[in-house]
Amino acid sequence: MPKDTKYNQILDALQTLLEDKEIQHISINEIARTAGIGKGSIYYYFSSKDAILEALVERDYEKPLETAKHLASQTDISTFTRMAMIFQACRNSSAQLQIRKNTKSAVSAPEQAFIHQKYMNHLICELKPTLTEIIEQSIQKGEIHFEHPSALAEIVLIILSVKLDNTLVPSTYEEIEETITGLIALLEKGTENPRGSLNFLRAL
């Protein structure tokens, strides 16, 4: 389905409504009214309200995912630098989501967790193949020694997404630091890299 002006108007409408209403209390009629279009136009683009939410999540992470795919081809840049750039791009998108969630107080904590779970699931699933490709390139170059690149990519993405986002499992700054320190130590040992080589994770 073409992503024209009306398509984005629908996503903008749902995004606006989510600032002070829970997803289960938002109707297709309300989305159409907020978007300034007819209800029939909604179903031209989307089969359901859930489909609109999925599209909104996809749009919000479009730029960092494009960045990741571009960096996968930049083999002249070191693996760890590319990984740092990807994670920073994702952090920027997550920060924008957090700002939107904090603009209103009417949305409940469970609702915030539900919406954010959608974002994190999309990010991990979409970014995993690209990060796996980058890790595989590094294995071929001898920069990383690891037999399961896909598993390594998933482990890193899950831990960073959960801990650095600090929504699903709220933690103190000290607890986050401890987790990141442990992750760095495990990665350096598991990939046979010298201590300190993955310290870029601390800057995220």
Side-chain angles (χ1 to χ4, degrees):
M1 199 62 65
K3 297 181 180 180
D4 60 16
T5 301
K6 284 188 178 180
Y7 177 95
N8 283 296
Q9 282 179 307
I10 295 168
L11 299 189
D12 290 340
L14 178 58
Q15 181 173 300
T16 297
L17 290 168
L18 283 171
E19 291 180 351
D20 57 11
K21 294 190 70 173
E22 299 187 356
I23 186 69
Q24 64 264 33
H25 296 147
I26 298 173
S27 67
I28 292 292
N29 281 332
E30 193 171 9
I31 295 173
R33 189 164 55 251
T34 303
I37 61 177
K39 183 178 177 181
S41 294
I42 298 283
Y43 290 111
Y44 173 77
Y45 294 97
F46 302 101
S47 61
S48 66
K49 182 172 60 178
D50 285 343
I52 303 174
L53 178 59
E54 295 291 344
L56 177 60
V57 170
E58 180 181 341
R59 187 181 71 171
D60 276 7
Y61 274 117
E62 186 175 350
K63 287 185 178 180
L65 291 174
E66 286 179 355
T67 297
K69 291 174 183 177
H70 174 71
L71 287 170
S73 65
Q74 305 299 301
T75 54
D76 55 320
I77 303 175
S78 77
T79 299
F80 300 139
T81 298
R82 285 186 286 166
M83 288 173 67
M85 293 168 70
I86 289 171
F87 293 140
Q88 188 58 58
C90 293
R91 273 298 300 273
N92 291 341
S93 285
S94 293
Q96 289 302 312
L97 172 64
Q98 191 68 36
I99 289 171
R100 286 201 301 274
K101 289 197 308 176
N102 290 335
T103 57
K104 303 287 183 179
S105 59
V107 181
S108 67
E111 173 70 5
Q112 290 182 0
F114 169 75
I115 297 294
H116 211 71
Q117 185 178 19
K118 290 276 190 182
Y119 277 80
M120 293 179 63
N121 176 268
H122 177 75
L123 176 63
I124 293 170
C125 292
E126 292 296 320
L127 195 52
K128 180 181 173 182
T130 301
L131 186 56
T132 298
E133 180 182 350
I134 291 175
I135 292 173
E136 287 173 341
Q137 292 170 357
S138 298
I139 291 173
Q140 293 172 0
K141 293 164 108 178
E143 298 173 340
I144 288 179
H145 304 277
F146 202 78
E147 296 181 358
H148 309 285
S150 179
L152 180 59
E154 184 171 335
I155 290 169
V156 171
L157 286 170
I158 289 174
I159 294 176
L160 289 178
S161 296
V162 172
K163 297 304 292 187
L164 294 178
D165 172 76
N166 205 25
T167 298
L168 295 182
V169 184
S171 306
T172 65
Y173 175 80
E174 290 73 20
E175 289 171 336
I176 294 175
E177 280 291 298
E178 184 178 7
T179 299
I180 298 303
T181 297
L183 174 62
I184 289 173
L186 286 172
L187 288 177
E188 288 173 347
K189 186 172 183 180
T191 61
E192 299 180 20
N193 274 276
R195 181 177 297 180
S197 60
L198 297 184
N199 274 338
F200 72 87
L201 291 173
R202 294 182 185 280
L204 299 177

